Amino acid sequence: MLAIKEVLSEVTPLDLINFSMVSRKTRLIARHFSKQPPISKYVLILDIYEPPSVQIFHGEVLYAYEIVSYKTENLGRLREEDEIIKYSKYSEDTITEFKNYVEYAMEVFNWPVNQLYFNFDELDDKSHSIIDWLKFRVLSTKHCSLFGNRVSDDYVSYFLENVEVHRHLCLGSTMSDNFQLKVPKIIEDLKICKSNFITFDQLSSFNCVSIHLSQTSISNKELNQFFKNWMTSKSNQNLQDLFIGIKDLESLETIFKLPHEVIDPGTVRTLYRYNHPIPVAGGIDIKRDDGSVATCYTQVCIGSLYLAMLVHLNF
């Protein structure tokens, strides 16, 4: 058995799954060793696009099982593509094949779904049924990104009602102007790419550690009130990292009509976004009523101007 363990520990997770499918005996062997490292350390990443794929990740190597609805010369063989070891399989029903593969990997190897990417555009008529499947098979995931160029209010709401995201949510979908996003309290990190629909009240209700909004219709006066509320502990008390688009540098005159300290631009301090150090030159310091200090500064990213806030953390 020791020799079998050594062999299974050396093969790729894609080969490991193929081995387990040979017979009932090989499946039992694979299940037995699945509880031991490195096999037990793998996690699943679900790419629900067209074509859908299942990625298996551990360490620095990423493996992908891709199900395609067209014939290609790459079918049935391992290859390296964009630093990913891929295997492509043809199927006339890609979604069913995808579901079966995920269910098998979770059942035999108990690998959790760590990340999930879902594009509503490409699977429009199947999106609800896929969410229903996720509700009973996946249950929860740490990281989730939702995409779609069509208005996706219904899909996003339905997804968040049925699948638990318990750390990071990236919303890249197009939402209607009056969409009311309800962010579960367990989400720590929220990024919204097309965030013009976010209002002052919605922003104030997000109790996340990190909030990044690429676009915003929130006015300068509302941002001024937002910071005042943070300083008096009326809202967003968990917030440590804010990144939000503003129109121009003149906006800062209105936004910071509140008690603050302007730091000399020659003073460079190391602040942290989660555990990542970030050198910040100058900036504007504001203080909360419990003594917490945050530094606000501007940053240009992809031709747009953003206002960032980082709360000083003690490590």
Side-chain angles (χ1 to χ4, degrees):
M1 291 294 282
L2 182 59
I4 295 175
K5 177 188 175 183
E6 291 179 357
V7 171
L8 294 182
S9 297
E10 293 297 324
V11 302
T12 73
L14 298 176
D15 288 331
L16 184 63
I17 292 177
N18 288 337
F19 166 80
S20 72
M21 290 178 171
V22 171
S23 68
R24 183 174 181 274
K25 183 177 180 180
T26 59
R27 177 170 176 164
L28 291 174
I29 292 172
R31 187 194 293 270
H32 173 76
F33 288 113
S34 68
K35 299 177 178 61
Q36 302 176 36
I39 298 173
S40 61
K41 300 297 183 180
Y42 286 113
V43 296
L44 300 179
I45 301 172
L46 306 187
D47 282 331
I48 308 177
Y49 292 85
E50 186 59 53
S53 72
V54 183
Q55 298 184 9
I56 308 171
F57 178 73
H58 173 56
E60 297 181 356
V61 184
L62 189 63
Y63 303 87
Y65 181 87
E66 181 183 63
I67 305 103
V68 299
S69 58
Y70 47 85
K71 298 293 181 67
T72 170
E73 62 180 13
N74 291 323
L75 290 176
R77 65 180 182 88
L78 284 176
R79 68 190 189 280
E80 184 171 346
E81 188 177 297
D82 299 326
E83 298 183 353
I84 300 175
I85 307 299
K86 282 189 175 183
Y87 180 92
S88 297
K89 180 179 178 180
Y90 169 78
S91 174
E92 294 182 358
D93 188 346
T94 58
I95 294 301
T96 298
E97 180 74 24
F98 168 81
K99 290 177 180 178
N100 290 339
Y101 195 84
V102 174
E103 290 175 15
Y104 186 86
M106 295 181 73
E107 177 190 348
V108 176
F109 300 98
N110 201 33
W111 292 332
V113 175
N114 185 265
Q115 299 177 45
L116 191 155
Y117 301 86
F118 199 150
N119 190 317
F120 299 123
D121 280 353
E122 299 178 3
L123 300 162
D124 184 40
D125 61 336
K126 300 178 182 177
S127 291
H128 274 110
S129 64
I130 294 173
I131 294 171
D132 289 337
W133 173 78
L134 289 169
K135 176 182 178 179
F136 293 105
R137 300 302 193 284
V138 175
L139 303 181
S140 68
T141 182
K142 285 186 179 179
H143 305 269
C144 178
S145 296
L146 305 176
F147 302 99
N149 290 319
R150 304 177 188 174
V151 174
S152 305
D153 295 15
D154 181 48
Y155 296 137
V156 170
S157 295
Y158 195 65
F159 182 94
L160 293 177
E161 288 170 2
N162 290 283
V163 181
E164 182 180 277
V165 182
H166 55 91
R167 183 170 181 184
H168 169 84
L169 174 64
C170 176
L171 187 58
S173 306
T174 299
M175 315 306 296
S176 67
D177 291 341
N178 59 354
F179 180 68
Q180 295 294 311
L181 177 63
K182 296 180 181 178
V183 178
K185 292 182 179 180
I186 56 176
I187 290 178
E188 298 178 7
D189 182 3
L190 175 66
K191 289 182 173 63
I192 307 179
C193 301
K194 304 172 185 179
S195 50
N196 280 328
F197 70 93
I198 296 294
T199 63
F200 168 77
D201 288 337
Q202 288 187 76
L203 175 60
S204 299
S205 71
F206 299 154
N207 208 24
C208 307
V209 173
S210 174
I211 302 173
H212 286 208
L213 305 180
S214 296
Q215 305 164 353
T216 180
S217 58
I218 298 172
S219 69
N220 296 333
K221 288 184 178 180
E222 288 174 326
L223 277 177
N224 170 264
Q225 187 60 52
F226 174 84
F227 286 117
K228 286 180 178 177
N229 289 348
W230 179 85
M231 294 169 70
T232 55
S233 300
K234 291 181 179 178
S235 69
N236 305 89
Q237 293 185 48
N238 288 333
L239 185 63
Q240 298 175 6
D241 164 32
L242 176 69
F243 197 76
I244 187 169
I246 59 174
K247 293 180 180 179
D248 46 46
L249 290 174
E250 287 70 28
S251 300
L252 300 179
E253 296 180 10
T254 301
I255 295 171
F256 290 105
K257 283 185 178 179
L258 44 75
H260 67 272
E261 178 185 0
V262 178
I263 306 301
D264 189 303
T267 300
V268 179
R269 296 172 293 176
T270 299
L271 303 178
Y272 291 86
R273 178 171 287 128
Y274 283 103
N275 294 323
H276 302 293
I278 298 175
V280 177
I284 296 172
D285 281 7
I286 57 177
K287 183 179 289 188
R288 196 162 62 185
D289 54 11
D290 64 359
S292 298
V293 176
T295 295
C296 302
Y297 61 97
T298 56
Q299 182 176 336
V300 176
C301 183
I302 317 180
S304 298
L305 184 64
Y306 293 87
L307 177 63
M309 180 184 89
L310 291 174
V311 176
H312 295 204
L313 304 175
N314 296 318
F315 291 100

